[in-house]
Amino acid sequence: MTLCLQEVMNAILYIVRTGSQWKNLPHDFPKWQSVYYHYRKWCRDGTWQRVNEVLVEQERERVGRNPQPSAAIIDSQSSKTTESGGERGYDAGKKVNGRKRQVLVDTCGNLLGVVVHAANLSDTAGAQRLFEQLPRLIQQQLRLIWADSGYKQGFIDWLDHHHQIVLEVVKPPQGQKGFVVQPRRWVVERTLAWLSRYRRLSKDYEHCTKSSEGMIYVASISTMLKRLAA
């Protein structure tokens, strides 16, 4: 019997949306071993990233934007891990034992790239990993990045030297007390909130960080498909 890739994709979307374990995949989907095989293969060969890239371009064109953004926002989100093991560390700043998700979004909040690493790795080092894995076309078009003060001077210099991109640090208003919406940075915070609605992303359940990145790309793809179909 020929395996339908549409059915495989629907099964993977089900996993991300519901947080179900692979072995608990309902019987009306293909066998979980086959679904997981394709999921892991597409994590390793970059298929999820490429599909997300194409859908983001289509979404930007739909709202009248240039397919390739010239500005973006970067941020990190610390996430607890489970007993699955794998790479992890302790984020002393946020007091989280687990991993960090470094995400880059355009000014509409569409996901451009993500890297997952141990939480004890600095934002600067994680951001460098992220930019090294971005599609070359996005690297060439970007001219300005907004970030918070967690991204140090070393990353600003590195970004300017290797990619000729300006990084602008968005600082909270002087004398701020309590929560205040910060210019530009609210966009990436909103994207992280969108992604957190997918139960599989409530924690980092994956043993391999590539699988973690794949789950985030699948969540982004699901969001893009809903917008494009509206």
Side-chain angles (χ1 to χ4, degrees), residues 3-229:
L3 189 64
C4 176
L5 292 183
Q6 181 62 54
E7 293 179 346
V8 172
M9 185 63 189
N10 289 339
I12 295 171
L13 288 173
Y14 175 86
I15 292 288
V16 177
R17 290 168 180 162
T18 65
S20 171
Q21 296 182 3
W22 292 101
K23 293 182 179 180
N24 293 338
L25 196 63
H27 295 298
D28 50 344
F29 289 115
K31 290 184 177 181
W32 74 266
Q33 295 94 333
S34 299
V35 175
Y36 182 73
Y37 166 79
H38 284 87
Y39 172 74
R40 282 290 295 160
K41 181 177 69 174
W42 295 339
C43 286
R44 290 173 176 172
D45 65 15
T47 295
W48 295 123
Q49 183 177 13
R50 290 192 296 272
V51 171
N52 181 75
E53 181 184 357
V54 170
L55 292 177
V56 168
E57 290 177 359
Q58 293 178 4
E59 170 61 12
R60 287 181 59 83
E61 289 179 332
R62 186 184 70 84
V63 298
R65 299 292 188 96
N66 189 302
Q68 300 299 329
S70 59
I73 310 98
I74 190 171
D75 200 4
S76 67
Q77 180 188 56
S78 295
S79 175
K80 294 181 179 179
T81 50
T82 63
E83 298 81 7
S84 59
E87 181 181 344
R88 68 179 68 189
Y90 184 69
D91 181 353
K94 297 180 181 178
K95 296 180 174 58
V96 172
N97 186 26
R99 294 172 179 165
K100 277 185 184 178
R101 301 162 176 168
Q102 294 282 346
V103 298
L104 183 74
V105 305
D106 65 12
T107 53
C108 298
N110 303 315
L111 183 69
L112 300 177
V114 60
V115 161
V116 177
H117 56 77
N120 61 326
L121 190 69
S122 70
D123 284 342
T124 293
Q128 290 178 3
R129 289 189 185 183
L130 172 56
F131 272 87
E132 288 169 354
Q133 295 184 25
L134 279 179
R136 183 163 297 277
L137 187 57
I138 294 179
Q139 292 180 9
Q140 294 172 344
Q141 294 297 318
L142 283 175
R143 291 293 177 267
L144 175 63
I145 303 292
W146 287 283
D148 65 16
S149 56
Y151 297 87
K152 306 297 183 181
Q153 182 65 40
F155 179 56
I156 297 176
D157 296 338
W158 180 88
L159 202 58
D160 178 61
H161 177 73
H162 291 278
H163 299 282
Q164 291 74 54
I165 298 174
V166 174
L167 188 139
E168 182 177 316
V169 175
V170 180
K171 297 181 180 179
Q174 191 171 7
Q176 172 187 337
K177 293 183 179 179
F179 175 76
V180 176
V181 176
Q182 297 181 9
R184 299 297 181 180
R185 288 201 58 245
W186 68 267
V187 176
V188 67
E189 296 289 351
R190 182 184 60 178
T191 300
L192 290 171
W194 285 339
L195 294 174
S196 296
R197 293 179 179 177
Y198 291 85
R199 292 188 178 181
R200 190 75 179 195
L201 301 182
S202 61
K203 288 184 179 180
D204 194 323
Y205 293 94
E206 315 306 317
H207 177 83
C208 174
T209 55
K210 276 296 179 184
S211 290
S212 300
E213 293 165 11
M215 286 293 172
I216 297 171
Y217 277 123
V218 173
S220 174
I221 290 168
S222 175
T223 302
M224 292 294 103
L225 290 174
K226 291 177 183 178
R227 292 178 187 171
L228 292 168

